[in-house]
Amino acid sequence: MIAYLGIDVGSVSTNLVVLTEGMTVLNQVYLRTRGQPITVLQAGLAEVAANLPEGLTIRGCGTTGSARQLAGVIAGADVIKNEITAHATATAFLVPGVRTIIEIGGQDSKIILLRDGWVLDFAMNTVCAAGTGSFLDQQAARLGIRIEDLGPMALGSKTPVRIAGRCTVFAESDMIHKQQLGHRTEDILYGLCEALVRNYLNNVARGKEITPPIAFQGGVASNVGIRRAFEETLGHPIVVTPYHSVTGAIGAAMLAREAVRSGKPSSFRGFAASARPFAASSFECDRCANHCEVISLSSGGEILARWGPRCPRWDLEDRPGVAGVATG
């Protein structure tokens, strides 16, 4: 059996997916990045390898996410793509005819508009994390409830209160104020869901044309309170697929499938990369006034890749997993 490996390494979660030639998700892994992308990626590779059926061959590998370059070198990716491309590719397959993608992750959020399967426009949050999953995590912890319970509790609201959601400081202060006034926790939580939706529409979507079908994905899409708040505000049903938390990884696997379709050999290093030592280091180049920070990834004394310089002075020669990889 032939399959493709997709990897999405973000600031909060690291996701891996094994996609068969017939576009079936054979295996998926969702792990917290915990500020250790190398260690967690290796743990994910080991977990995927332990659950693969005998005789399966990884024909291609793709990476995406904020640490896509790092993950691409470690895994030996055939393609490295940005999150917009990966999410759009996967969602156009999972939700045929999709026109709007709402994606809210741990520390960022984005909107992608598609028309006839092509990306027409997109935007990402640039200033505040008030509308992201990490803020919900903080508030759930402060209230002493599990993040998994926040959404179902919010749906128990009868008279939601208005929470200022423009920034995390104002939102938390307003929630505390409403608690001190004696409002029910359920009403405060649904008010928080509505505030996050307003924050998203005002700061990320910012007047863009949101038309159905609308897909909602990212870790926050599992929150049924946020989902209902979007539906009530937009007046349209929201589609949440069973793969909403690993959509980026599915897109990376689909792009890897395309990258090797012509018969090109894969650069995938194999699952042995899960046990190989990797180390990142950096230095400041003093050859010109730019003083670029040059970041290196090495293994066993061999430098595998470098990032950061504005000129080609520190470029490496062609190496598997680095040279010839399509990026974007």
Side-chain angles (χ1 to χ4, degrees), residues 38-62:
I38 296 176
T39 302
V40 174
L41 172 57
Q42 290 182 299
L45 287 169
E47 186 171 337
V48 168
N51 292 290
L52 287 181
E54 192 172 342
L56 185 141
T57 300
I58 298 297
R59 177 67 183 85
C61 173

Side-chain angles (χ1 to χ4, degrees), residues 121-161:
D121 194 8
F122 69 91
M124 298 181 68
N125 65 329
T126 55
V127 179
C128 181
T132 65
S134 60
F135 179 63
L136 286 175
D137 277 344
Q138 292 170 10
Q139 295 313 308
R142 190 180 64 79
L143 294 169
I145 61 177
R146 298 189 315 152
I147 186 63
E148 296 86 355
D149 297 333
L150 192 151
M153 285 186 67
L155 293 186
S157 171
K158 296 178 180 175
T159 53
V161 298

Side-chain angles (χ1 to χ4, degrees), residues 140-191:
R142 190 180 64 79
L143 294 169
I145 61 177
R146 298 189 315 152
I147 186 63
E148 296 86 355
D149 297 333
L150 192 151
M153 285 186 67
L155 293 186
S157 171
K158 296 178 180 175
T159 53
V161 298
R162 186 174 179 86
I163 300 293
R166 190 168 183 177
C167 85
T168 56
V169 175
F170 290 153
E172 182 169 325
S173 298
D174 208 20
M175 289 177 66
I176 293 171
H177 177 63
K178 295 300 191 306
Q179 285 178 282
Q180 291 170 335
L181 291 176
H183 289 286
R184 297 169 67 235
T185 299
E186 291 85 349
D187 293 333
I188 293 173
L189 290 177
Y190 195 66

